[in-house]
Amino acid sequence: MNIQQTQGRHRLGTAIAVLMVALLSACSSAPAKDTSADYESAAPSVAPDDDQNLGSIYRSGYGMTLFVDRRARQVGDIITVTLEEKTDASKSSSTATGKESNISVPTVTLFGRGVTSDGVPILTTGVSSDQDFSGKGSSTQSNSLTGSITVTVSEVLRNGSLRVRGEKWVTINQGEEFIRIKGIIRPEDIGADNAIPSYKVADARITYSGKGALADANSMGWLGRLFQSVLSPF
């Protein structure tokens, strides 16, 4: 095997290694989705019934609150989150600069007379510069999400706030669509109908996506992500 063949194989191996790194980077650019375990409903803890007094009207742990509303306040309680998400953002910029410079040197004289060729000065020097720049940019984005999802209280924090989470799946023909939400709410913000708007959920994480044939058709392939990545030479 001669030196040229060795160098050719080395270059081919290097090109394949660079391509593999680019493909891995393009595939890893897709954001990781949360697992379903993060949004499973929380069940209330059930205390063991040690009192087996079956002959009495009153039983411990089975009291009824006649004068307290049924708003969510404990782990496992159900609350409805009304999705009222709408964002509008726009940005524009414009820049213009200009610069003009002129430098001239007087005609050089020799022994009191200008240096000429056929009567035309040949040692006259002058420099001029003119620069102009103009740039414009604009960006507009709008998002809207409406609907409702019922979730459960997963944790009661020490300050009284409630951590909620939940998901809703809908199967339609060739695919599935789901809405997931989790965050922290204040009991004071819960309405009389045991509902709260989504803009009052702190640290809210709302996901609306789908799975199936329709979702796969709307997603970009790995080769397309490669050409859209920062490693693309085009």
Side-chain angles (χ1 to χ4, degrees):
M1 182 181 294
N2 54 30
I3 299 177
Q4 293 181 352
Q5 292 179 346
T6 303
Q7 293 178 349
R9 290 189 176 184
H10 178 70
R11 293 176 182 175
L12 179 60
T14 303
I16 294 176
V18 172
L19 180 60
M20 293 299 296
V21 172
L23 294 178
L24 292 175
S25 301
C27 295
S28 62
S29 61
K33 296 183 179 180
D34 293 329
T35 59
S36 299
D38 296 334
Y39 297 90
E40 291 181 353
S41 59
S45 58
V46 180
D49 190 4
D50 297 332
D51 187 5
Q52 298 295 332
N53 184 10
L54 303 180
S56 174
I57 298 178
Y58 172 78
R59 294 184 61 187
S60 175
Y62 289 85
M64 298 180 59
T65 55
L66 301 178
F67 303 100
V68 179
D69 57 23
R70 303 296 297 174
R71 302 181 190 181
R73 61 181 69 249
Q74 298 178 356
V75 175
D77 288 352
I78 295 176
I79 182 174
T80 300
V81 178
T82 305
L83 300 175
E84 300 179 9
E85 297 295 325
K86 184 177 181 181
T87 57
D88 295 296
S90 62
K91 181 180 180 181
S92 61
S93 61
S94 176
T95 304
T97 60
K99 182 179 181 180
E100 183 177 354
S101 302
N102 292 304
I103 301 175
S104 61
V105 179
T107 303
V108 179
T109 59
L110 185 61
F111 302 109
R113 299 181 60 182
V115 181
T116 62
S117 176
D118 296 333
V120 179
I122 61 175
L123 294 179
T124 301
T125 304
V127 178
S128 63
S129 175
D130 189 4
Q131 300 178 0
D132 290 315
F133 172 79
S134 177
K136 292 183 179 181
S138 62
S139 176
T140 303
Q141 184 175 359
S142 177
N143 298 287
S144 178
L145 179 63
T146 59
S148 61
I149 177 175
T150 301
V151 298
T152 58
V153 178
S154 61
E155 183 182 359
V156 179
L157 304 181
R158 297 185 61 180
N159 61 352
S161 298
L162 309 177
R163 192 184 301 274
V164 297
R165 69 185 185 193
E167 61 182 354
K168 177 169 65 175
W169 287 77
V170 179
T171 303
I172 303 176
N173 294 334
Q174 298 296 325
E176 296 178 317
E177 295 184 356
F178 61 88
I179 301 176
R180 292 171 173 171
I181 183 174
K182 61 181 179 180
I184 302 174
I185 63 175
R186 298 191 314 164
E188 296 84 357
D189 295 331
I190 303 176
D193 56 348
N194 199 39
I196 184 173
S198 59
Y199 57 81
K200 290 188 177 181
V201 180
D203 294 336
R205 183 176 181 87
I206 304 174
T207 304
Y208 176 65
S209 185
K211 295 182 178 180
L214 297 179
D216 294 339
N218 289 327
S219 62
M220 183 180 298
W222 61 267
L223 185 59
R225 292 199 300 270
L226 171 62
F227 288 109
Q228 293 293 333
S229 65
V230 296
L231 298 178
S232 176
F234 304 103

